[in-house]
Amino acid sequence: RSSWLLLAPLLTPPVPVIAAPPCSLCPEGAHRFQWIRNLVPEFGISSSHVKVLSSPAEFYELLKVQIKTAKQRVVMASLYLGTGLLEQELVDCLEETLEKSLQAKGSSNLRVSILLDYTRGSRGRKNSRTMLIPLLQRFPEQVRVSLFHTPNLRGLLRLLIPERFNETIGLQHIKVYLFDDNVILSGANLSDLYFTNRQDRYVLLQDSPEIADFFTELVDAIGDVSLQLQQDDTVQMVEGMVHPYQGDKMAYCEIANRRVMEVINSARTRQELLHTKTFHSSQQGSSLLSQQGSQASGGLKPEPDTWIYPLIQMKPFGIQIDEMVTETLLTEAERDARIYLTTGYFNLTQAYMDLILGTRAEYRILLASPEVNGFFGAKGVAGAIPAAYVYIEHQFYSEVCYLHQQERVQLQEYSRAGWTFHAKGLWLYLAGSDLPCLTLIGSPNFGYRSVHRDLEAQVAIVTENKALQQQLHQEQEQLYHRSGVVSSSTFEQPNRYVKLWVKLVTPLIKNFF
């Protein structure tokens, strides 16, 4: 279990970055964040289709309702599926819905696609795989379970690193749950903690067929380069596909890059055509949007006042869109703008820290206090991880103080008895505004892992609608309300003592957690 083994992937040559091609765009209806659609598709929707959830219980109940009412597709991407009673209830809901679908038509149109991480989903004797095999056995034509295996865990490294530790090399970390044309974006996994007392963020996009199509295609693309779970608990690759850890690494990464970028670019092209027809053809052109939305909503599609931009980060495949957009947002934030940034694991990349310390906007950064850190009380080496986060936090706070930025950059710690904290994202308030016009929500934690190791996805939601802005503002306030401001005295408390060995090891391993 020597820690030097964990450094091996850093010695492998990086995959070359493939930037998104430029495009010419229409100026109509421009808002200040429209530059994002140079990189990804822009989906214009009505704010009435966006609902912000606030609690794990609400998230869980919504998952069950959506599964039970799905007619065409259920697509779920998560790090893993837990093995408790609540998770089994979700699997039972899937089984019931598939069974009803078969009985109704004899041959069902319903398709279920589940994407999980291979290492995390295979942990222990009872795991995500054993939970889902009964579905595969009973509905082999309708259910697909894909297990992503990072190409960086291979050879001697794969043989020597034990279970749990192998998850530090890279994961499938995307969390998207969609049912027909309804999409839930979150940072929450499919596990009982995330359904009960682990605080996260959740946004439901209702009747949004283009967004649902995009994430279906994205999960399909990652699924195609992942291992396919079989009915006997073995795994195999899609025929003709390069193997992630037995095949040539560069060839595998190039194929994966091509598949994912095809999804992004084809969706961009579709949305640009839609945009062009809507704004540049005759009045009939505007009916195109109405017709496409009428099937889902039962009437005319409302004029968009909210824009959704999917931000993908898959550094192993040379895709760095989320990183580019996040850095640009931090760079361009004006004086007196306020950015509320929250992460369950405070371990920002050096680039993000430099931008926060070197730019003009005000920052309120929310992170987990040691007691609500997901690793608090863990056995073995993992039990020291909260202390490592305290050490990283203290170093950053010291830098803020050294630069006399305490007024502009404020750290706050979430604390709630009996709960853990896993919320991540960003809210941007323009100078002079009491409400946010943009939020980022999804799986990234803004740390080294999110940027360099794992597969991540979030969305930027930009809205002009005051009611939706108010929803996002209330979400932010509810999270920050349960926090205390960090000061020098915070690190003098007995529970903030960091052992010397943790201080020495943290710089070596901070890129792995």
Side-chain angles (χ1 to χ4, degrees):
R1 301 195 179 189
S2 302
S3 59
W4 66 266
L5 289 172
L6 301 180
L7 302 177
L10 300 181
L11 306 177
T12 58
V15 178
V17 175
I18 301 178
C23 65
S24 59
L25 295 163
C26 319
E28 283 85 347
H31 52 77
R32 67 172 62 207
F33 304 105
Q34 208 159 30
W35 54 267
I36 303 176
R37 70 179 188 186
N38 288 321
L39 298 170
V40 296
E42 174 188 72
F43 301 100
I45 64 172
S46 166
S47 55
S48 62
H49 291 186
V50 184
K51 183 183 180 186
V52 180
L53 312 181
S54 60
S55 73
E58 194 179 2
F59 170 58
Y60 181 62
E61 291 305 316
L62 181 62
L63 285 176
K64 290 194 293 183
V65 168
Q66 290 292 317
I67 290 172
K68 288 175 181 177
T69 56
K71 298 291 189 289
Q72 301 295 325
R73 60 184 168 189
V74 172
V75 179
M76 299 199 289
S78 185
L79 174 60
Y80 68 106
L81 170 71
T83 57
L85 294 176
L86 295 180
E87 297 92 319
Q88 185 60 54
E89 195 173 336
L90 281 185
V91 176
D92 292 344
C93 286
L94 283 169
E95 186 176 8
E96 287 171 25
T97 303
L98 285 161
E99 186 62 50
K100 281 182 189 173
S101 179
L102 275 179
Q103 289 174 353
K105 297 183 180 179
S107 62
S108 173
N109 293 327
L110 179 64
R111 294 291 178 268
V112 174
S113 177
I114 299 172
L115 171 66
L116 306 172
D117 181 73
Y118 177 89
T119 51
R120 184 64 181 85
S122 303
R123 186 200 286 183
R125 293 183 64 182
K126 188 179 182 183
N127 52 41
S128 306
R129 293 162 65 161
T130 57
M131 291 287 287
L132 292 169
I133 283 171
L135 285 183
L136 279 173
Q137 291 172 337
R138 189 164 178 198
F139 307 100
E141 301 301 314
Q142 295 162 263
V143 178
R144 179 191 195 191
V145 179
S146 304
L147 302 168
F148 174 79
H149 191 295
T150 178
N152 288 330
L153 182 64
R154 55 177 44 232
L156 196 59
L157 193 70
R158 189 174 188 275
L159 293 173
L160 293 177
I161 298 187
E163 199 174 73
R164 290 179 182 258
F165 287 84
N166 58 10
E167 296 165 27
T168 64
I169 306 304
L171 297 165
Q172 192 307 109
H173 201 245
I174 296 169
K175 291 87 186 277
V176 176
Y177 310 107
L178 73 87
F179 314 88
D180 293 341
D181 293 336
N182 300 326
V183 183
I184 303 171
L185 292 149
S186 180
N189 292 304
L190 295 173
S191 172
D192 54 3
L193 290 174
Y194 295 89
F195 305 149
T196 52
N197 62 345
R198 191 161 173 76
Q199 183 62 57
D200 216 298
R201 297 181 66 209
Y202 335 83
V203 168
L204 169 65
L205 306 176
Q206 296 172 292
D207 295 331
S208 302
E210 294 96 346
I211 300 173
D213 287 348
F214 173 84
F215 280 107
T216 298
E217 291 171 17
L218 179 69
V219 171
D220 280 347
I222 302 166
D224 287 346
V225 299
S226 299
L227 295 155
Q228 307 300 304
L229 183 63
Q230 305 300 305
Q231 297 178 30
D232 60 355
D233 199 18
T234 60
V235 292
Q236 62 184 45
M237 289 301 291
V238 172
E239 191 174 348
M241 183 60 64
V242 177
H243 199 282
Y245 63 85
Q246 293 175 352
D248 180 78
K249 180 180 174 183
M250 191 64 76
Y252 172 81
C253 291
E254 285 174 358
I255 290 169
N257 174 290
R258 194 158 59 244
R259 283 288 286 112
V260 173
M261 290 308 298
E262 278 171 4
V263 172
I264 294 169
N265 290 328
S266 64
R268 277 182 62 236
T269 302
R270 287 198 303 269
Q271 292 308 114
E272 282 179 40
L273 285 171
L274 197 61
H275 183 81
T276 303
K277 287 177 182 177
T278 303
F279 288 105
H280 291 283
S281 50
S282 62
Q283 288 294 322
Q284 295 174 350
S286 63
S287 68
L288 181 72
L289 271 173
S290 304
Q291 290 166 8
Q292 288 194 345
S294 61
Q295 291 178 339
S297 60
L300 293 181
K301 195 169 187 177
E303 197 67 26
D305 57 7
T306 300
W307 294 268
I308 310 294
Y309 301 94
L311 308 180
I312 311 303
Q313 184 75 11
M314 300 179 182
K315 189 72 172 284
F317 305 156
I319 299 171
Q320 297 171 252
I321 296 169
D322 179 61
E323 178 186 7
M324 291 163 63
V325 171
T326 302
E327 287 188 3
T328 305
L329 288 172
L330 299 182
T331 302
E332 298 298 320
E334 60 198 337
R335 187 181 300 278
D336 297 326
R338 285 173 294 137
I339 291 179
Y340 289 78
L341 185 152
T342 178
T343 173
Y345 306 109
F346 183 73
N347 188 12
L348 302 180
T349 65
Q350 192 62 50
Y352 291 162
M353 286 194 289
D354 290 344
L355 286 169
I356 290 169
L357 294 173
T359 49
R360 298 162 293 178
E362 293 180 16
Y363 285 87
R364 300 292 178 264
I365 302 173
L366 181 62
L367 51 124
S369 64
E371 295 77 21
V372 299
N373 186 293
F375 290 96
F376 186 74
K379 295 177 181 178
V381 176
I385 290 178
Y389 283 119
V390 168
Y391 181 60
I392 294 168
E393 177 190 352
H394 194 182
Q395 284 185 309
F396 181 74
Y397 180 77
S398 298
E399 185 74 9
V400 170
C401 294
Y402 176 77
L403 296 170
H404 305 292
Q405 299 287 305
Q406 299 99 306
E407 291 299 311
R408 191 180 65 81
V409 181
Q410 195 172 91
L411 294 179
Q412 296 177 231
E413 289 185 350
Y414 184 94
S415 184
R416 189 175 183 183
W419 283 61
T420 53
F421 183 71
H422 197 250
K424 70 265 312 226
L426 177 154
W427 299 259
L428 174 59
Y429 294 68
L430 297 178
S433 176
D434 293 328
L435 297 173
C437 61
L438 175 147
T439 191
L440 301 182
I441 178 168
S443 63
N445 279 299
F446 304 105
Y448 186 95
R449 286 197 60 119
S450 291
V451 171
H452 294 276
R453 296 188 179 282
D454 299 340
L455 305 192
E456 305 278 9
Q458 64 180 340
V459 295
I461 302 176
V462 178
T463 184
E464 297 173 348
N465 180 270
K466 294 298 181 187
L468 178 53
Q469 289 179 352
Q470 188 66 44
Q471 271 196 78
L472 295 170
H473 176 66
Q474 288 173 349
E475 178 198 32
Q476 177 271 115
E477 282 199 318
Q478 284 177 1
L479 291 172
Y480 280 71
H481 177 69
R482 295 184 179 275
S483 70
V485 176
V486 171
S487 65
S488 299
S489 61
T490 302
F491 301 101
E492 295 170 4
Q493 298 171 19
N495 64 340
R496 302 308 169 99
Y497 173 73
V498 180
K499 295 176 180 177
L500 178 61
W501 74 268
V502 175
K503 293 180 180 179
L504 294 173
V505 169
T506 296
L508 298 175
I509 64 169
K510 64 182 290 188
N511 294 344
F512 295 89
F513 60 84

